[in-house]
Amino acid sequence: MSTLGPRTALQGVAWALVRVFLRGKPLGMERGGRMAFPFKQQDLADALGLSLVHTNKTLGILRKRQLAHWTEGELRVSDLQALADLALIETTALPVRPIL
């Protein structure tokens, strides 16, 4: 939570998507910019301390900017570096460990 406090909702959602995406890569979960993401928007909203409506609108902004698209249990990241820049984090490789 300490990393999310100073971030806007847009930056926070971008941060969460980048972190999950980067953790999935070394586990072989990412293929061609896509990975399984079997969660609900409510799960993401709860994790980030946002309302479901605000989370949905924020995901819409990311989709409109063509940075990330989450639908039917799949996360597609079109531009990981731009998404990470928005999230104010680096895209350095993370150690291999479980996604959750």
Side-chain angles (χ1 to χ4, degrees), residues 34 54 63-64 70 78 83 88 94:
R34 299 172 184 255
H54 200 96
R63 188 177 320 112
K64 187 175 182 177
W70 174 18
S78 306
L83 190 62
L88 305 174
L94 298 174

Side-chain angles (χ1 to χ4, degrees), residues 2-88:
S2 64
T3 189
L4 292 174
R7 287 182 165 79
T8 66
L10 185 60
Q11 292 168 334
V13 170
W15 175 87
L17 297 180
V18 169
R19 293 291 296 178
V20 169
F21 198 79
L22 288 176
R23 289 186 82 179
K25 269 188 159 194
L27 296 172
M29 297 174 66
E30 181 267 339
R31 287 191 170 62
R34 299 172 184 255
M35 70 177 282
F37 201 66
F39 304 101
K40 296 178 182 175
Q41 286 186 14
Q42 185 67 60
D43 298 328
L44 181 62
D46 290 344
L48 298 175
L50 300 172
S51 72
L52 179 58
V53 171
H54 200 96
T55 301
N56 185 279
K57 288 180 180 183
T58 303
L59 288 167
I61 292 169
L62 294 175
R63 188 177 320 112
K64 187 175 182 177
R65 292 185 183 182
Q66 298 181 359
L67 296 175
H69 187 78
W70 174 18
T71 185
E72 298 179 18
E74 181 181 77
L75 174 62
R76 185 178 74 229
V77 175
S78 306
D79 189 340
L80 182 61
Q81 188 58 57
L83 190 62
D85 290 345
L86 176 62
L88 305 174

Side-chain angles (χ1 to χ4, degrees), residues 86-97:
L86 176 62
L88 305 174
I89 60 173
E90 299 290 325
T91 57
T92 55
L94 298 174
V96 177
R97 59 183 184 209

